Amino acid sequence: MISHKRNAYIAGAVVALIGIGLLLQVDFERWRLPGPFNPGHENLACNECHIAAIGTVRQQLQANVQYWLGGRRTEADFYYHKIDNKNCIACHNKDNDLHSSYRFNEPRFNKIREEMHPELCISCHKEHVGQRVSHFKITDCQFCHKELKLKNDPITVPHDELIEREDWHTCLGCHDYHGNHDMLIEKTVGRAINRQKLINYFNASESPYLGAVIKKAKSTRYEK
Ligand code: HEC
Ligand code: HEC
Ligand code: HEC
Ligand code: HEC
Ligand code: HEC
């Protein structure tokens, strides 16, 4: 009896998946956008990020049915590949990233990975929300830099004092996150870029940093 029910369930699931598969056959370019593009992405084609999954739809179906039956550890991509860092790095390749995402895969970052997933671009940069930085607050440096103390601190209010006062909004006023702006780091705390300008930048305004972007983005992932 039980196995009959199970077969009926699987048959139902397969039919549903085929239905979804047919829906997805529609050209992705015709899909409705779930929200406005983030700044800089307005002119990108959908398939610059939404890439077809490996294998035929039938193979993907089989792999997913196996997953549901417990014969496979991970869910398989179905029709479109789930977006991960590789999609972003295809155009945003920054070799000297100050906070390179892959470093956060190290075991010593296990706890922070559970808290905020700094190893994934889309943890901080969700797409289709019309914002440059969507899920990271300007004070979030505190997640990782609470213990910071510099020997011979060069700035007018030393780092440990800023931290003691919980002035976390000042950090991005002198440092960018990826180190991709060609700029001299300020030493006078009063000259740090102010909070409101940083918040506007996170939304969609121009960059408040004086220096130009060092590693520019490619306009298509096919570009060499
Ligand atoms: C810069 C990369 C990028 C481009 C270009 C892009 N998307 Fe997306 N899209 C994403 C990300 C990231 C997600 C989040 C889902 C995920 O992680 O797979 C997403 C999700 C979606 C979703 C699912 C929404 C949901 O709520 O699950 C749809 C539908 C979608 N995009 C449509 C489009 C269409 C239509 C275009 C072209 C007009 C497009 N996208 C272009 C990155 C992109
Ligand atoms: C097809 C190439 C391409 C892909 C794929 C792509 N981007 Fe972009 N991105 C661009 C371009 C071009 C710009 C605008 C030029 C610029 O500002 O450097 C841009 C701008 C941005 C900006 C704002 C940059 C700024 O200086 O203000 C962010 C943040 C960003 N992309 C993050 C992402 C993330 C996260 C992903 C992966 C989900 C992604 N991008 C995927 C090409 C791409
Ligand atoms: C923990 C949060 C976080 C993660 C994860 C993250 N970013 Fe950012 N990103 C930021 C913040 C904050 C800024 C704004 C400050 C700045 O410009 O550096 C930013 C700015 C940017 C910019 C514009 C400035 C520049 O450096 O060109 C781009 C492009 C970008 N991120 C791409 C990416 C990509 C690609 C990934 C994954 C490889 C990624 N980010 C991962 C927080 C994050
Ligand atoms: C998810 C954890 C995490 C977050 C969030 C984070 N950092 Fe870091 N940061 C690190 C780690 C890890 C290093 C590397 C330290 C090392 O090499 O041991 C680092 C290094 C740095 C450095 C020194 C780089 C160098 O080598 O000169 C600066 C500056 C910095 N972070 C500023 C910031 C600022 C500003 C913010 C907030 C926008 C921030 N960080 C948010 C983890 C983080
Ligand atoms: C007035 C500008 C200013 C402000 C505000 C500021 N910093 Fe710095 N920071 C500097 C300068 C200058 C250095 C030294 C850079 C160097 O030696 O290359 C530095 C160095 C660092 C380093 C590298 C430490 C090392 O051991 O090399 C980290 C990490 C850092 N800052 C994080 C932060 C965080 C987190 C905040 C917010 C609490 C912050 N900074 C606020 C200017 C600033």
Side-chain angles (χ1 to χ4, degrees):
M1 280 312 280
I2 288 169
S3 86
H4 265 100
K5 259 194 195 162
R6 192 156 120 153
N7 286 342
Y9 168 74
I10 293 166
V14 169
V15 169
L17 262 185
I18 291 171
I20 296 170
L22 286 174
L23 276 177
L24 283 169
Q25 298 263 359
V26 180
D27 186 359
F28 212 79
E29 299 287 334
R30 293 185 195 203
W31 273 38
R32 202 142 53 98
L33 258 177
F37 268 120
N38 291 358
H41 289 166
E42 300 84 353
N43 299 321
L44 299 186
C46 312
N47 65 7
E48 291 284 2
C49 290
H50 296 286
I51 297 167
I54 306 168
T56 61
V57 170
R58 193 177 144 184
Q59 287 164 335
Q60 293 158 16
L61 263 175
Q62 281 171 345
N64 275 306
V65 169
Q66 261 175 22
Y67 166 74
W68 290 336
L69 294 176
R72 201 189 133 99
R73 280 249 289 267
T74 52
E75 222 172 324
D77 282 333
F78 187 65
Y79 219 83
Y80 285 96
H81 157 79
K82 274 208 194 67
I83 290 175
D84 59 26
N85 290 1
K86 275 193 228 119
N87 294 77
C88 312
I89 291 168
C91 295
H92 295 280
N93 188 0
K94 295 180 260 193
D95 335 306
N96 297 319
D97 200 323
L98 211 58
H99 293 97
S100 84
S101 304
Y102 71 85
R103 273 194 64 185
F104 292 114
N105 286 315
E106 292 169 19
R108 66 184 169 117
F109 297 118
N110 283 352
K111 194 164 157 278
I112 189 70
R113 267 208 307 281
E114 275 170 30
E115 286 174 41
M116 66 182 298
H117 288 291
E119 79 282 13
L120 299 173
C121 311
I122 56 175
S123 305
C124 303
H125 302 283
K126 292 253 167 4
E127 186 53 70
H128 305 307
V129 292
Q131 291 172 1
R132 181 177 280 110
V133 186
S134 58
H135 286 66
F136 184 86
K137 291 200 285 298
I138 64 168
T139 49
D140 282 351
C141 318
Q142 64 181 301
F143 271 97
C144 305
H145 289 294
K146 280 212 173 87
E147 315 295 329
L148 182 65
K149 191 173 171 62
L150 269 71
K151 273 190 222 146
N152 307 320
D153 198 318
I155 67 177
T156 51
V157 182
H159 284 76
D160 53 344
E161 216 175 302
L162 287 177
I163 291 167
E164 172 97 27
R165 295 188 198 166
E166 301 192 3
D167 277 346
W168 291 103
H169 66 278
T170 60
C171 313
L172 274 168
C174 294
H175 301 282
D176 59 352
Y177 183 77
H178 296 291
N180 197 30
H181 289 95
D182 185 14
M183 61 186 191
L184 257 174
I185 303 178
E186 188 61 59
K187 295 200 170 74
T188 311
V189 173
R191 283 221 289 267
I193 299 159
N194 76 41
R195 188 199 298 252
Q196 193 55 51
K197 278 206 180 131
L198 290 167
I199 293 171
N200 294 347
Y201 171 54
F202 274 27
N203 287 331
S205 303
E206 290 291 299
S207 165
Y209 296 109
L210 287 178
V213 162
I214 299 168
K215 267 262 185 176
K216 292 215 173 64
K218 295 182 202 163
S219 53
T220 160
R221 65 190 163 96
Y222 307 103
E223 200 179 302
K224 279 277 159 58

